[in-house]
Amino acid sequence: MTGLQGSQTRHGYNFAYLDEHTKRMIRRSILKAVAIPGYQVPFASREMPLPFGWGTGGIQVTASILGPDDVLKVIDQGSDDTTNAVSIRAFFAKTTNVRTTEKTADATVIQTRHRIPETPLQPGQILVYQVPIPEPLRWLEPREAETRKMHALEEYGTMHVQLYEDIAKYGRISTSYDYPVIVNGRYLMRPSPIPKFDNPKMDNNPALQLFGAGREKRIYAVPPYTDVKSLDFDDHPFEIQQWDEDCALCGAADTFLDEIVTDDKGGRMYVCSDSDYCGERIAAPSAAQ
Amino acid sequence: MTPILSVNGLSKSFVLHNQNSIHLPVLADINLIVVPGECVVLNGPSGAGKSTFLRCIYGNYRVDQGEILIDSGVETVDVATADPRSIIALRQRTVGYVSQFLRVVPRVSTLDVVSEPLRMLGVTVEEAEDRARHMLTRLRIPERLWPLPPATFSGGEQQRVNVARGLVVSMPLLLLDEPTASLDTKNRDTVIEIICEKVDNGSAVVGIFHDAEVRDAVATRTLEMSPLTLVAA
Amino acid sequence: MTRREQGPLLRVSSLTKNYSAIAGCRDVSLDIWPGEVLGIVGESGSGKTTLLNCISARLEPTMGSVEFMTRTDGMVDLYKMSEASRRFLMRTDWGFVHQSPRDGLRMGVSAGGNIGERLMAVGDRHYGDIRSAASDWLEKVEFDLGRIDHMPTTFSGGMQQRLQIARNLVNGPRLVFMDEPTGGLDVSVQARLLDLLRALVSELKLSVVIVTHDLAVARLLAHRLMVMRGGEVVEAGLTDQVLDDPQHPYTQLLVSSVLQP
């Protein structure tokens, strides 16, 4: 296999598929985003070899930051082995020849759809989120001009309306994923459809967190060690999901569990959504406590 | 004694722009000075401008010339030239007006209609309603009617509600336009009683009463008015 | 300090708004004092809605100024304020009741949420308190509390309008603008709503600017009246005086045209 360096092309494609000028444009947007934590930076989203709605934003961010020495992990709902994760990982392997891995601890760049790995991240790691709808106020205010003003003027009280409606309808805040947060005490942000279980992991994380929305053409970021606070009410504080069960495979009691139906008689088992974390625990049970 | 009302050289006409701009003079150079404790009755045939005169004093009609000076206790206001807010203030505390007709607001109970002028002055709801009830009782409006809006009452009942509302606040100057019209003898006498009480207490009254008996019972003096001919004065 | 010394709440000076060659409104000046209701009447095309939008900070005038007596900074020119301050003012010290409730409500949010939004927009973060404040206001506007969680799309026009009024009053504004608030409602519903407005205005000592083409509404609610035609104010004064002794030919025409049932 011929190794690809810098701007060498393979079958006519540049390193990581995008041309260098595009990568430069995206990196400028990323820098802006990092400079203003939680602020949505518009960028000129390119056509990618997968349809809008499948992670084109995440892919563009990853493509712009990958270098030949990086190690890439790709997960989809916590899993390295779903179709999307496999396809995206193969895509980058083909266009960059960087090393890929399933181990969170070994990766320098982790692209994720809708989960944060259970293994705590380290300084120097980058987490790239795939975002469908970046604008947290969209449900309340359909006009883009108006939502931009609301962000500019920090008019966020209305976001609590969604939570109010939940409590009025269900007796508690029922939003369980894509739970809105305030970043660095200033910008209201949508963390992408990660379960609210993962929200606390975003707070003061040593890794750099980047968010890409390809169809909506926005990039935003949470720099390392930044405050990320989930919205709540004084009398209805933010709470993460709990399960009565532990992981059926590795016995973990503090991870996000997927419910898997095992037969047609109502049988089900609960298993860690993060396949790598679960695998590590099974392989070295004492070491992974 | 300082007059409560001084009308000097009052002239008023109507111009009906949509009827070929007909010019109708109604009042010409009217003068009147009223001191507290007086009851001045305006005398004259229909068309003499008596109602118009009262409405000018109240600020309901505009004037072409002249002054209408009213002593509010704090200052002297010329109704002919005062700004609307001053006139509103005057109407709350100084000048009361009982028109010939009750203007009916749907859905407001009789008790509320009568107590409203007191509540607007800042009197507590309890006291305002108390005094309203007292007045309504005096004018023989049955208690079962108090929670009802007056829209469905008889003419006489409506007029008594109108009178009650107009007289429930103690005003230094009262303008009364046929307050006893459509009232039976008993109620007419009660209204006379109330008017005399107010005058004895120091209020001044300028009123129109077509009934000679009422006139004689309340008037301290009269002002004769006659219709203007169309020949300019 | 007596009320007279306090100064007007809103001062409009020589306001003009041009739409290319057409004058939306021309050289209008007025003052609004605390606790008074000003009615602006006129027919379609009179400029009354343009005037209302200019003085409520929704439309920048071509010439002239609109000054508001803020709680802490004295008289401030609305169009010289920062946009953030202006928007904050519009949420707290002012209300705007639209003719169509759909323009003044969030149709995808429950009745309680619509009222609560104004509270949450100024920082309230206690669900229980927000809900009870919303309930209090719904009661005040005679709204069925059992429907606090229902969507405005399920309400009648009169209910929607009462909800809009409650939403505008929850933050205790000192000045409320109303654009034909009873237009399009059934007569009996209108009567109830007008009653409610009268009671609220006097109870809360609100200042109100109400635009209407209906003289009966103006007589019922307004202390003072301004008659507009072709973008200009043709007559102004005490409501009962303008309606009982109209001076200007157009005012006389308007008053004489009103049908009495």
Side-chain angles (χ1 to χ4, degrees):
Chain A
M1 179 113 68
T2 46
L4 283 170
Q5 310 285 330
S7 58
Q8 276 188 328
T9 60
R10 179 194 165 101
H11 302 302
Y13 288 106
N14 196 34
F15 182 88
Y17 184 80
L18 294 173
D19 60 278
E20 290 305 311
H21 280 285
T22 298
K23 287 193 229 174
R24 215 178 282 185
M25 176 274 293
I26 292 176
R27 285 196 287 257
R28 272 188 224 116
S29 303
I30 293 174
L31 279 177
K32 263 189 215 156
V34 170
I36 315 171
Y39 170 73
Q40 297 165 54
V41 181
F43 80 106
S45 180
R46 295 281 188 256
E47 229 179 41
M48 297 299 284
L50 84 170
F52 282 137
W54 289 75
T56 55
I59 282 194
Q60 287 178 78
V61 170
T62 301
S64 306
I65 62 176
L66 272 186
D69 299 330
D70 274 303
V71 181
L72 177 70
K73 171 178 161 83
V74 183
I75 48 171
D76 177 359
Q77 306 269 182
S79 211
D80 301 83
D81 52 8
T82 67
T83 313
N84 293 332
V86 168
S87 303
I88 293 172
R89 194 168 53 240
F91 166 76
F92 280 116
K94 202 186 286 191
T95 58
T96 65
N97 224 33
V98 298
R99 191 155 75 81
T100 63
T101 180
E102 294 191 10
K103 289 193 184 329
T104 306
D106 291 348
T108 59
V109 177
I110 302 166
Q111 176 165 334
T112 175
R113 175 178 170 274
H114 306 347
R115 277 240 54 212
I116 299 178
E118 303 287 353
T119 313
L121 299 175
Q122 301 303 318
Q125 287 184 301
I126 302 178
L127 188 58
V128 178
Y129 297 75
Q130 295 172 206
V131 177
I133 305 284
E135 177 52 68
L137 298 166
R138 186 60 64 226
W139 76 281
L140 189 70
E141 178 53 69
R143 296 169 290 182
E144 173 73 14
E146 187 62 22
T147 50
R148 287 209 198 186
K149 250 192 215 154
M150 288 162 92
H151 282 292
L153 301 175
E154 220 174 329
E155 290 179 5
Y156 290 144
T158 49
M159 194 61 208
H160 280 79
V161 177
Q162 178 179 4
L163 307 182
Y164 167 97
E165 293 287 285
D166 268 4
I167 301 173
K169 217 188 283 190
Y170 307 115
R172 56 185 176 78
I173 297 174
S174 72
T175 306
S176 56
Y177 62 91
D178 207 0
Y179 193 103
V181 295
I182 296 275
V183 178
N184 201 31
R186 175 58 178 90
Y187 277 96
L188 180 68
M189 182 186 95
R190 244 177 134 136
S192 83
I194 55 174
K196 67 176 179 177
F197 182 87
D198 283 343
N199 275 23
K201 298 191 181 75
M202 289 193 295
D203 186 31
N204 268 291
N205 198 309
L208 170 65
Q209 299 170 76
L210 300 178
F211 298 77
R215 178 179 49 200
E216 295 295 313
K217 309 179 189 1
R218 298 282 184 279
I219 285 174
Y220 44 103
V222 176
Y225 304 109
T226 303
D227 277 344
V228 177
K229 187 175 174 329
S230 302
L231 295 189
D232 60 10
F233 282 102
D234 296 343
D235 51 339
H236 282 86
F238 175 75
E239 278 172 357
I240 60 174
Q241 290 110 324
Q242 313 272 0
W243 285 262
D244 296 328
E245 296 76 11
D246 299 336
C247 173
L249 297 182
C250 75
D254 58 355
T255 60
F256 189 88
L257 300 179
D258 283 337
E259 183 181 345
I260 299 177
V261 175
T262 49
D263 55 44
D264 57 5
K265 297 185 197 62
R268 53 202 65 230
M269 61 190 249
Y270 292 85
V271 171
C272 286
S273 138
D274 187 334
S275 49
D276 168 53
Y277 185 78
C278 197
E280 297 274 311
R281 280 178 59 90
I282 295 171
S286 51
Q289 282 318 313
Chain B
M1 190 186 276
T2 13
I4 180 87
L5 173 70
S6 293
V7 179
N8 304 311
L10 181 69
S11 297
K12 167 143 186 89
S13 58
F14 289 100
V15 179
L16 302 181
H17 293 278
N18 298 305
Q19 274 95 46
N20 296 314
S21 298
I22 303 177
H23 181 248
L24 293 173
V26 180
L27 300 171
D29 201 30
I30 307 279
N31 299 290
L32 177 66
I33 303 216
V34 183
V35 298
E38 284 202 272
C39 178
V40 180
V41 168
L42 304 179
N43 244 3
S46 171
K50 307 189 294 293
S51 287
T52 302
F53 185 34
L54 285 187
R55 286 174 180 252
C56 287
I57 300 172
Y58 196 58
N60 180 227
Y61 278 359
R62 294 249 238 155
V63 309
D64 299 333
Q65 265 173 34
E67 304 179 306
I68 303 172
L69 302 173
I70 296 184
D71 176 14
S72 76
V74 174
E75 53 180 347
T76 304
V77 179
D78 180 6
V79 175
T81 55
D83 62 273
R85 288 174 60 247
S86 307
I87 299 183
I88 291 175
L90 217 56
R91 288 176 178 182
Q92 277 191 325
R93 290 170 195 280
T94 310
V95 188
Y97 177 66
V98 179
S99 65
Q100 277 180 325
F101 311 104
L102 174 67
R103 185 156 246 122
V104 172
V105 177
R107 287 205 340 148
V108 181
S109 72
T110 299
L111 188 64
D112 284 345
V113 167
V114 177
S115 61
E116 189 182 9
L118 286 168
R119 283 183 281 119
M120 299 299 286
L121 283 179
V123 174
T124 62
V125 176
E126 292 80 29
E127 192 191 331
E129 291 188 349
D130 228 27
R131 286 163 65 174
R133 281 189 210 105
H134 182 79
M135 189 64 90
L136 285 166
T137 312
R138 249 185 119 167
L139 288 164
R140 297 182 196 80
I141 301 282
E143 216 175 305
R144 64 181 165 77
L145 293 183
W146 296 354
L148 301 176
T152 51
F153 295 176
S154 71
E157 284 165 345
Q158 284 196 8
Q159 184 53 8
R160 279 177 278 150
V161 173
N162 200 17
V163 168
R165 179 193 166 90
L167 300 183
V168 76
V169 177
S170 302
M171 295 282 195
L173 176 62
L174 281 169
L175 308 170
L176 308 176
D177 193 341
E178 305 272 19
T180 57
S182 64
L183 293 187
D184 61 24
T185 324
K186 266 203 312 217
N187 285 311
R188 198 198 59 187
D189 289 342
T190 306
V191 174
I192 294 174
E193 229 175 76
I194 300 174
I195 294 173
C196 290
E197 277 166 25
K198 300 232 179 227
V199 171
D200 289 340
N201 274 328
S203 291
V205 173
V206 181
I208 303 169
F209 308 90
H210 78 278
D211 188 313
E213 268 182 57
V214 180
R215 273 206 303 270
D216 294 339
V218 301
T220 58
R221 64 178 162 111
T222 58
L223 177 72
E224 296 298 325
M225 296 179 72
S226 50
L228 294 180
T229 57
L230 286 177
V231 175
Chain C
M1 194 192 269
T2 66
R3 258 178 39 164
R4 286 184 73 94
E5 290 165 44
Q6 264 167 13
L9 200 52
L10 190 77
R11 164 157 285 158
V12 178
S13 310
S14 305
L15 191 86
T16 300
K17 175 68 186 172
N18 292 326
Y19 294 109
S20 55
I22 305 169
C25 61
R26 196 183 353 243
D27 201 27
V28 179
S29 297
L30 59 98
D31 283 345
I32 296 165
W33 294 76
E36 76 167 345
V37 180
L38 173 71
I40 303 177
V41 296
E43 297 176 307
S44 295
S46 58
K48 59 192 197 297
T49 303
T50 302
L51 177 63
L52 189 72
N53 287 332
C54 284
I55 67 177
S56 61
R58 307 161 73 81
L59 184 64
E60 185 155 2
T62 313
M63 282 190 291
S65 68
V66 182
E67 294 171 290
F68 180 71
M69 177 63 83
T70 58
R71 291 182 201 262
T72 50
D73 298 325
M75 228 32 182
V76 181
D77 185 324
L78 282 187
Y79 292 99
K80 295 205 170 74
M81 278 183 175
S82 73
E83 182 160 11
S85 312
R86 197 162 47 237
R87 284 167 72 104
F88 185 72
L89 198 70
M90 285 165 87
R91 275 202 308 275
T92 54
D93 228 359
W94 281 2
F96 195 108
V97 178
H98 296 253
Q99 180 171 4
S100 164
R102 284 171 180 265
D103 295 331
L105 291 176
R106 300 235 186 245
M107 300 307 278
V109 172
S110 70
N114 261 288
I115 300 177
E117 181 185 352
R118 288 289 166 95
L119 294 170
M120 293 183 249
V122 295
D124 285 20
R125 292 288 179 266
H126 192 280
Y127 174 82
D129 291 349
I130 292 168
R131 194 170 170 85
S132 85
S135 303
D136 287 346
W137 275 98
L138 287 175
E139 266 185 328
K140 258 206 179 71
V141 299
E142 297 174 29
F143 194 97
D144 179 6
L145 275 184
R147 303 199 64 182
I148 186 174
D149 296 322
H150 291 189
M151 292 298 154
T153 44
T154 63
F155 302 155
S156 66
M159 284 171 77
Q160 287 178 348
Q161 205 55 314
R162 274 179 280 140
L163 178 61
Q164 205 199 157
I165 289 167
R167 173 180 157 93
N168 271 285
L169 296 181
V170 70
N171 272 329
R174 289 184 290 153
L175 177 58
V176 180
F177 300 93
M178 300 194 194
D179 187 4
E180 309 264 16
T182 58
L185 295 176
D186 289 336
V187 180
S188 59
V189 176
Q190 231 191 67
R192 247 182 105 182
L193 198 67
L194 287 174
D195 245 12
L196 176 69
L197 288 174
R198 268 181 96 237
L200 287 174
V201 165
S202 96
E203 187 191 320
L204 305 171
K205 314 257 180 295
L206 288 177
S207 297
V208 176
V209 180
I210 175 167
V211 160
T212 181
H213 67 276
D214 188 337
L215 297 183
V217 170
R219 191 188 279 274
L220 192 62
L221 291 181
H223 297 110
R224 285 194 293 136
L225 213 56
M226 267 174 41
V227 182
M228 286 192 75
R229 182 191 186 213
E232 289 180 334
V233 179
V234 299
E235 188 160 354
L238 274 178
T239 303
D240 64 281
Q241 183 254 294
V242 171
L243 294 178
D244 289 343
D245 189 17
Q247 304 292 303
H248 191 274
Y250 177 67
T251 319
Q252 289 187 355
L253 179 65
L254 258 192
V255 171
S256 64
S257 308
V258 174
L259 298 172
Q260 306 285 352

